[in-house]
Amino acid sequence: MKNRVPLVAGNWKMFKTCPEAVESARQLVQRISDATGVEVMIAPPFTALAPVSDALNESNISLGAQNLFWEKEGAYTGEISPVMLVSAGCRYVIIGHSERRQYFGENDGTVNKKIKAALDASLTPILCIGESENERESDKTFSVLDKQIKNGLKDLVLKDLELMILAYEPVWAIGTGKTATSDQAQEVHQFLRSLLKKYFGTTFSQLIRILYGGSVKPDNISELMAMPDVDGALVGGASLDPDTFSKIVHHIGSSL
Ligand code: 13P
């Protein structure tokens, strides 16, 4: 029996206009109002955060953003600060998603600044890490993840990290339909927990939630959640449809 409350987070990526996002949020509120023992978060695009926040009002679903910039304010055209996210109703923020690393030049250094800025604003960062197909095939998975953790969390100390959540998203499993098997996910999650134990101690390593992401669907979530070190999911494509996403949420709730 795990003592960590599972979290299922929907990353909507660059999908949904404001009206579409609000409609999806309303449908989700209805469908998962009865879900217990599981925390739920959705991360719409920036433009839809405030209206979706209103639609989620007094529901059991929290709001998250998909990115932030680390400065508080200033001449940074096109960027969004942590305090702006808080004022739009966000509690969570996804940081270092592989799509941001791949297409927008993010690296462990920028990820580190973003994690610190999120924590400073009392946002819960969901730090995304994961290896590419090439790295897995050349047996570099563990060393790549170690580097991402070490550099992404550089100069942070235990008391800063209470809020933090980790998401293991193997790049080869994102949007490809190729889910990691539950054994592959467990092997990596266990490794990540042992790394966190080495860097931050046993208590923290036992408390931190480690989500799995990459082609999570209603029909593979229960198997993944049965693994002792998998504490929930970061869901992309399958989070866009309220019906499919609510099935994932209910599977997690019923697998406890
Ligand atoms: P998919 O669920 O579409 O594979 O995306 C996973 C992901 O990137 C979540 O952040």
Side-chain angles (χ1 to χ4, degrees), residues 22-230:
V22 167
E23 178 52 29
S24 294
R26 287 206 181 110
Q27 288 188 25
L28 264 183
V29 168
Q30 280 179 355
R31 285 178 163 83
I32 64 178
S33 58
D34 59 338
T36 50
V38 50
E39 280 176 29
V40 182
M41 178 278 259
I42 51 174
F46 286 136
T47 45
L49 287 174
V52 166
S53 174
D54 289 341
L56 297 180
N57 189 27
E58 307 211 347
S59 75
N60 54 353
I61 306 175
S62 301
L63 188 69
Q66 300 172 19
N67 184 26
L68 52 61
F69 187 57
W70 54 80
E71 292 291 346
K72 290 191 170 70
E73 60 180 11
Y76 301 105
T77 302
E79 293 298 325
I80 306 282
S81 75
V83 70
M84 290 172 187
L85 297 182
V86 172
S87 75
C90 290
R91 186 174 147 204
Y92 295 90
V93 58
I94 297 169
I95 292 179
H97 192 282
S98 62
E99 286 151 13
R100 299 230 37 101
R101 296 179 193 249
Q102 188 178 351
Y103 304 123
F104 303 101
E106 294 204 10
N107 53 45
D108 294 335
T110 57
V111 164
N112 183 249
K113 289 186 186 178
K114 290 182 179 201
I115 297 272
K116 288 176 184 162
L119 292 167
D120 247 14
S122 300
L123 283 162
T124 296
I126 302 182
L127 167 60
C128 299
I129 57 171
E131 81 286 3
S132 67
E133 188 152 37
N134 244 340
E135 289 161 344
R136 175 161 281 261
E137 278 167 6
S138 46
D139 275 335
K140 293 197 185 121
T141 299
F142 288 169
S143 62
V144 166
L145 296 170
D146 190 355
K147 194 164 140 283
Q148 288 174 339
I149 297 247
K150 212 168 15 196
N151 297 340
L153 299 182
K154 189 162 175 263
D155 300 330
L156 285 159
V157 294
L158 194 52
K159 76 170 181 18
D160 302 325
L161 291 174
E162 263 164 37
L163 287 177
M164 215 199 49
I165 293 172
L166 194 60
Y168 168 56
E169 297 206 307
V171 178
W172 48 270
I174 295 179
T176 58
K178 279 198 226 167
T179 326
T181 64
S182 45
D183 286 339
Q184 280 172 324
Q186 172 56 25
E187 185 190 26
V188 171
H189 283 223
Q190 194 174 22
F191 168 74
L192 294 172
R193 226 178 271 290
S194 70
L195 267 187
L196 293 165
K197 181 175 170 184
K198 184 167 92 185
Y199 296 135
F200 300 104
T202 308
T203 309
F204 177 71
S205 73
Q206 288 307 314
L207 287 178
I208 187 170
R209 289 181 286 184
I210 308 180
L211 314 182
Y212 168 78
S215 300
V216 170
K217 305 272 180 313
D219 61 6
N220 58 26
I221 187 64
S222 299
E223 212 181 308
L224 287 160
M225 283 305 292
M227 296 293 119
D229 289 300
V230 177

